[in-house]
Amino acid sequence: MLWVAILVPILIILPADGQFPLPDFEKTEITERQGVGSYRLPNDVIPIKYYLTLEPEFDTFGFDGIAEINLQVINETNTITLHSVELTLQNLTINCASPAEDYSNLTIEYSFLDLARQFLVITLSRNVAPGSECTLLILYEGILNQDSHGFYRAQYTDREGNVRWLAVTQFEPTYAREAFPCFDEPALKAEFEITIIRPNNYNSLSNSPIYISMPYMNNKRMDLFRVTPRMSTYLVAFVVSEFTSVSSGYQAVHGRPEFINESRGDFALSMGLQVLPAIENFLGIAYNSSLVKLDNVAIPDDYFSNGAMENWGLVTYRESSLFSKENVSTSAEKQGIGTIISHEYGHKWFGNLVSPLWWNYVWINEGFATYLQNYGASVAQPSWRLMERFALSTLQSAFSTDQLQNARPMTYDAETPDEINALFDRIAYNKAGSVIRMVEHFLTTPVFQRGLNRFLVNNSFSAATEYELWSALDEAVIEAGINLGRPLEEIMTTWTQQAGFPLVTILVAPVTRTVTVAQERFLLDNASYDSNETWIIPLNFVISSNPNFEDTAPILLLRENSQSITTFANVNPGEWIIANIQQTGYYRVNYDEENWGLIANYLNRDNFNNIHPSNRAQLIDDALVLARAGRLNYEVVFDLISYLNRETDYVPLNSFINNLAFLDRVLSASPNIALFREFTRNLLQAAFDYLTPYESNIDDHIDRLNRQQILTTLCNLNHEACLQSASNYLRTWQHISPDLQSAVYCGGLRNGGEEEWNYLYNLYTSSTTERLQRNRILNALSCTENSTLLQRVLDMAFSQSTEWRLLSNADRLRALTGLYTNSENGIDIALNMNFAQLFASFSTRNVNTILNGLSLRLTRGDRQDLFRQILQLQDSSSWDLHGNAFRNSLSNINQTNDWIANYQDAINNWLIERVTLPTTSSPTPTTTVSTSDTTVSPTTPAPPDNGSIDVRIMPLLLLCTLILLYT
Ligand SMILES: [Zn+2]
């Protein structure tokens, strides 16, 4: 728009050395091409400093920009190549200087946009020599669209019903080029001086503090920000809004004024104030040595794709990841807020201060942020036990992806924007975080800390690869007098540059008691895979005569495929051995059946607590997954998990519940599903009795998480006392404690009828119900077998009824996934939906999610046949668009059937031998679950399971995947 208006202040802020020509107002002609070749910039010319001026317009939803970029010529060239996409470039001017060259006649010969590679290529009238300094001035326009990346617009409705607009940024990994022409690669760091022109009633934020704010024309102001540290383009940010804030010291939380007034930012701020010094102390580098403020901004959920973004000095979050409210937010949600702040603050060092040289090392950013999200939040909130739960929350979740044949290595090349975006996955976050934790325990914490400090100091304001990381840690190792026998790099690249992870198999010779360890790659679906990968594995063990689970240092480094260990030749007859103390090593462990049996016997005795909770969780997860992969008999595994009938600790119970979703699903069409559910109810009875359905003021954080998972699972399993409690809560028709809501809403509907459903439906539609609570209600509305009510949920998913037309895409997806997840009849309703309408009203990605989830629930032959017929009837355009999703769904059905054919009988035989269903007439406990060692009578009778197919286990992992928000 008004270039003249912007140029007046620009003259004020440009250096007054007279080098800058007044821009030519003639529009520069820029053609378009489809280039071929590398997506990497040539780097003959690199940026030193950007002066950016941006003026968002809230009436036209456009923005005007001026980018003035100081450049240094590295190699002789007549071409300047940088990034620009979705911008309308108006005018380009170049000016170069060098003591040895005369550039007075230098002009731009021609420029073009390379559309595929998102390049702006500028060809000069002559070569420029190395050492020359140039200034490129670009005038341009852009659109504030609503696609949640680049410089874009978001909105919310205030308490008076007015729509309020804001302009925000999301640049990682390749979207800074949508806001200003730039050298958009992480290693091409520069300083930024940013100016924002905004309406008087708005305010602006950027990475650094404002140093001058001055009146501008047309009721606007111009905010000039201090120069930033040398940093990557993807970390630049600005927000123009009517937000207010709450602050302490140099930290602040910003958001819509009504939420700030209600103190919704206070918990986040208090977490930030505790987490920042914790991480500073751990790494030995103060945050304010590079930037003097740290703002956190809450963006309305529908306009923020990720959980949060670590822009230096200006972290952005979705509102539900930053704001909390008493009596609305659950303990798990508050924990999510604490850990996401800790994650983003961790990036201030890993990512912001030291950046990856290229995106193939993005795992250094995300792995350390994942590690530090647990570390920082655990210092602030010790009762959350986050470091003890690390294996459960992070490592076991990484295994679930990394055990598939198509897993990628941590260090993995990518060039195009799509390829780069795909790197932000569970391997970059959870696997890298787990491997980093392994390094800490392998080297010991003090050595790890010294090495990290050295890495950060050596590479500050610069970019690095994994080699700089390993070498800095290696120096700390040598200083500590530790001899690893080989460079750390050689050890660690076996973990970072190979896909997958090892299965360590430990065999104790029956007579000599010699222990042999072997390694191979573990794959879930291909037991016959011929492994030739080896890892250098920091290995440790505990034996039952000395159950010390505290020392996590390795006893040896396993280098070969197979190795005998004489050190443990004294594993006596009757003694078990457990490897991978606290599951700090990134590997699974299998044993001979005798050792598994000894462990199971030990667990089933009273002193099972001698085994560390993390290792109890490890044994459960390893055993269940090994059985699923055909590497261990289910009978052995069921003997082992039988000990859970006395377990009350959250960590092992959570490990079991995560695996239960799979077992309950594949057994759902079994004739003995009633026995399996009776067995499972009994396993969780002790935890139910210990926690009770009632909250207490002596509950700690873990008790509250534990109660939530036990009630949800038991009510889904039709546990009578659980359902009764849920009904009693719901039928008070009063507000229910947030931590109980999910279980009570779902259990109350299972046990109730139309009255309960209508009550929740009305609560959902009430304008005063908070969004988080509405989400919990929407998840639960399909916890009924009433087909009329389920049909109404389907209507909501397709927004057929007028009142649902404003339902967001995320809400519609939530409604539909709940339908086939929560209810047996819901599966049939989902199968009978209009698939053409499904494809028309959901994105390709969501169609993939829905077909994947639905196909996993199809264990009955008649339903599988119907589903296959539905896919066959789809036209070629649907196959073109969703063919991968169709094929994946059919493959899911085949895998389910394979599992049933291979393993169902063994489990049924075990169940028939050991589990008895209670008789319907008896009010007293009649059920026993026996193992070779124990007989347990539950204290509360479980209701009879009528034997019908009754799938009730909510696949927690599936739901987690749905809401998995990378940050
Ligand atoms: Zn991150």
Side-chain angles (χ1 to χ4, degrees), residues 310 343-344 347 366 369 429 967:
E310 68 264 23
H343 178 106
E344 305 310 328
H347 276 309
E366 298 307 342
Y429 288 74
T967 53

Side-chain angles (χ1 to χ4, degrees), residues 417-459:
D418 284 348
E419 289 168 355
I420 293 165
N421 263 306
L423 293 180
F424 291 77
D425 62 3
R426 208 176 274 178
I427 298 299
Y429 288 74
N430 295 23
K431 179 177 182 178
S434 305
V435 167
I436 286 163
R437 170 172 170 262
M438 175 168 71
V439 175
E440 181 203 350
H441 287 270
F442 167 29
L443 304 181
T444 72
T445 306
V447 174
F448 179 66
Q449 282 180 277
R450 274 198 299 277
L452 295 187
N453 176 272
R454 186 180 293 253
F455 170 70
L456 293 167
V457 169
N458 288 353
N459 299 285

Side-chain angles (χ1 to χ4, degrees), residues 353-404:
L353 186 62
V354 180
S355 309
L357 190 71
W358 180 245
W359 295 109
N360 56 341
Y361 294 114
V362 74
W363 65 260
I364 299 178
N365 280 14
E366 298 307 342
F368 277 102
T370 300
Y371 176 85
L372 289 169
Q373 81 183 37
N374 289 286
Y375 175 76
S378 74
V379 172
Q381 301 282 351
S383 70
W384 291 2
R385 289 169 60 194
L386 287 167
M387 294 310 273
E388 195 183 320
R389 291 159 55 198
F390 195 108
L392 193 65
S393 66
T394 308
L395 175 141
Q396 290 181 8
S397 148
F399 282 171
S400 67
T401 294
D402 211 16
Q403 64 200 4
L404 305 178

Side-chain angles (χ1 to χ4, degrees), residues 867-868 871 879 885-895:
F867 185 73
R868 289 192 194 95
L871 293 193
W879 274 93
F886 293 174
R887 283 182 284 275
N888 285 344
S889 306
L890 295 172
S891 161
N892 282 341
I893 290 174
N894 290 340
Q895 284 177 16

Side-chain angles (χ1 to χ4, degrees), residues 115-132:
L115 300 179
R117 295 185 289 176
Q118 305 181 344
F119 285 169
L120 165 61
V121 182
I122 301 168
T123 305
L124 306 175
S125 57
R126 55 159 289 187
N127 279 3
V128 283
S132 303

